[in-house]
Amino acid sequence: AVVNMAGVQLRAGDEKIMARRARGLVFARTGKEERALQDLQQVAADLGAQGVTDPLVEAEIGHVLLLKEDHERALPHLRRAVDQQADLASALGDLGLALIMEGDNEGAARALTRAVEIDPGLTRAWYNRGLMHFHAGNYGQAESDLARAAELAPDNLEIGRLLQQVRRRAHQDDP
C-alpha cells in the first residue's frame, strides 16, 4: 500500500522526496535492494542539494550496500547516519560490521558496543562483536557475546555453530 501510494504521489508531483523516501524504505525492508538504492540515493542527493541529511535514509543506504557486500561504499553513509543521529543502534551495528571489514577492530568494537548499549536486543551486533573477538583470539569475550546472541535468536543455527566453535577453541587453548 505504501509503495502504491508513493507511486501515486510521484506521478502527481506531490511531495516527491517524501514519497520516494517512503517507497525506498519499504523496498529496502522487503528485499528489493536495487529499487531501494535507486530511490534512497535519489532522496539523499535531493536532500543534499538542500543542505539536509536524513540519517534514516543514510543508514538504510549503508545497510543495503552491506547486504550487497560493498562495505567501502556503505561506510560514508553509515558514518553520516550516526554523526547526525548518534542513537541509531542498527546503523551503529552496521557501521561496526563495515569497520570490521575495513580492518578497524578498535572502531568496530566502539560502534558495536554502543549499538548493544542502545539496543540490547540487537542480535546482529552481539553476533558481529562476538565474531570479531573470536578472530582476535579473545575467546572469553567472543563466548559471552555469542551466548547473548544465541539467547536472542535461539533458532539461528549459524550463531549456535559459531558459539560451539568458540567454546571448543577456548578449551583447546586452556592449559
Side-chain angles (χ1 to χ4, degrees):
V2 170
V3 169
N4 288 338
M5 183 53 120
V8 169
Q9 284 185 305
L10 286 169
R11 286 188 293 281
D14 300 332
E15 301 285 332
K16 283 190 173 201
I17 292 175
M18 297 315 287
R20 188 168 275 122
R21 179 186 187 271
R23 188 173 72 179
L25 292 172
V26 169
F27 282 151
R29 300 296 166 104
T30 57
K32 296 176 177 73
E33 287 87 9
E34 284 303 319
R35 295 183 76 183
L37 273 178
Q38 290 172 0
D39 279 347
L40 295 174
Q41 288 174 326
Q42 183 63 55
V43 169
D46 291 347
L47 290 175
Q50 299 173 16
V52 176
T53 300
D54 182 329
L56 296 177
V57 168
E58 293 294 333
E60 205 61 50
I61 292 170
H63 182 73
V64 170
L65 289 169
L66 276 181
L67 290 175
K68 296 171 71 58
E69 299 181 9
D70 191 349
H71 68 277
E72 289 176 7
R73 285 183 44 217
L75 259 170
H77 293 284
L78 295 167
R79 284 188 169 125
R80 274 193 294 277
V82 299
D83 285 348
Q84 289 288 312
Q85 190 172 340
D87 65 347
L88 285 175
S90 184
L92 282 161
D94 285 343
L95 177 60
L97 177 58
L99 290 170
I100 288 170
M101 296 168 127
E102 284 287 301
D104 180 1
N105 285 350
E106 189 175 307
R110 280 193 306 272
L112 292 166
T113 297
R114 184 70 184 124
V116 298
E117 288 170 353
I118 294 167
D119 182 357
L122 193 58
T123 305
R124 73 177 187 264
W126 289 105
Y127 174 81
N128 287 331
R129 195 172 75 170
L131 185 62
M132 179 190 68
H133 286 308
F134 174 65
H135 287 297
N138 303 325
Y139 302 124
Q141 291 172 317
E143 183 175 2
S144 176
D145 286 349
L146 292 168
R148 181 66 181 130
E151 285 175 24
L152 294 168
D155 295 334
N156 187 315
L157 298 177
E158 183 178 341
I159 294 171
R161 280 191 290 269
L162 184 58
L163 182 56
Q164 287 176 342
Q165 188 177 357
V166 166
R167 287 177 173 155
R168 277 194 306 271
R169 183 74 58 90
H171 292 300
Q172 288 173 353
D173 289 354
D174 283 344

